[in-house]
């Protein structure tokens, strides 16, 4: 079984995004679809590709390595409807079809690199005002 996921997330840093160390969190929605080998000798797909929408939540820590690079360590939690139940089940060619729970949860741990394009925002130095 292979899964393909498309996600849309909103990210919120707890400190400025270019701080030396900053925790962050995301909240989003994901679309996931499952694909089986059409030539499987054990499962009949009938050309069906199960699809489900569900929530997505991530939290992690970002550590600045240089002016342009940072690294992230995060955990991502997601869930959604299980497509392997009832009429949506893949059918076994021999033996009974096994029913599963009505939802699927998934936890992923990620390590990622971040590269910053553009210039870093710097605080403007106040211009002295001449008094007359």
């Amino acid at each position: 079984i292979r899964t393909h996921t498309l996600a849309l997330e909103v990210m919120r840093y707890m400190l400025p995004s270019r701080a030396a160390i900053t925790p962050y969190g995301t909240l989003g929605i994901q679309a996931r679809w499952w694909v089986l080998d059409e030539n499987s000798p054990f499962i009949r797909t009938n050309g069906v590709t199960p699809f489900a929408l569900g929530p997505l939540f991530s939290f992690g820590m970002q550590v600045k390595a240089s002016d342009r690079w940072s690294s992230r360590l995060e955990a991502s939690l997601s869930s959604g409807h299980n497509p392997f139940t009832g009429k949506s089940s893949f059918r076994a060619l021999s033996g009974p079809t096994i029913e599963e729970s009505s939802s699927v949860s998934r936890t992923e741990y990620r390590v990622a690199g971040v590269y910053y394009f553009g210039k870093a925002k710097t605080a403007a130095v106040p211009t002295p005002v001449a008094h007359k």
Side-chain angles (χ1 to χ4, degrees):
I1 296 178
R2 291 181 303 180
T3 61
H4 301 287
T5 304
L6 180 62
L8 179 62
E9 297 176 83
V10 175
M11 178 178 278
R12 173 73 177 160
Y13 291 100
M14 304 305 159
L15 300 171
S17 64
R18 292 200 179 190
I21 298 175
T22 183
Y24 64 89
T26 72
L27 184 60
I29 189 166
Q30 66 168 359
R32 181 178 295 151
W33 59 99
W34 286 261
V35 180
L36 288 179
D37 181 5
E38 291 290 328
N39 299 320
S40 172
F42 306 108
I43 304 292
R44 181 180 312 127
T45 65
N46 295 329
V48 174
T49 301
F51 176 83
L53 287 173
L56 176 63
F57 171 74
S58 300
F59 59 92
M61 185 73 64
Q62 180 172 291
V63 179
K64 183 176 178 179
S66 71
D67 286 343
R68 296 265 182 210
W69 289 96
S70 292
S71 60
R72 289 184 182 160
L73 177 62
E74 78 177 27
S76 176
L77 312 167
S78 61
S79 66
H81 174 71
N82 183 358
F84 304 108
T85 61
K87 292 185 284 184
S88 300
S89 294
F90 290 122
R91 304 289 180 208
L93 293 178
S94 61
T97 299
I98 299 172
E99 293 291 329
E100 298 290 335
S101 62
S102 62
S103 66
V104 175
S105 296
R106 184 174 182 166
T107 303
E108 296 176 345
Y109 300 98
R110 301 178 187 141
V111 175
V114 178
Y115 181 78
Y116 296 102
F117 294 94
K119 296 180 181 179
K121 292 180 182 178
T122 56
V125 177
T127 305
V129 177
H131 295 285
K132 292 184 180 182

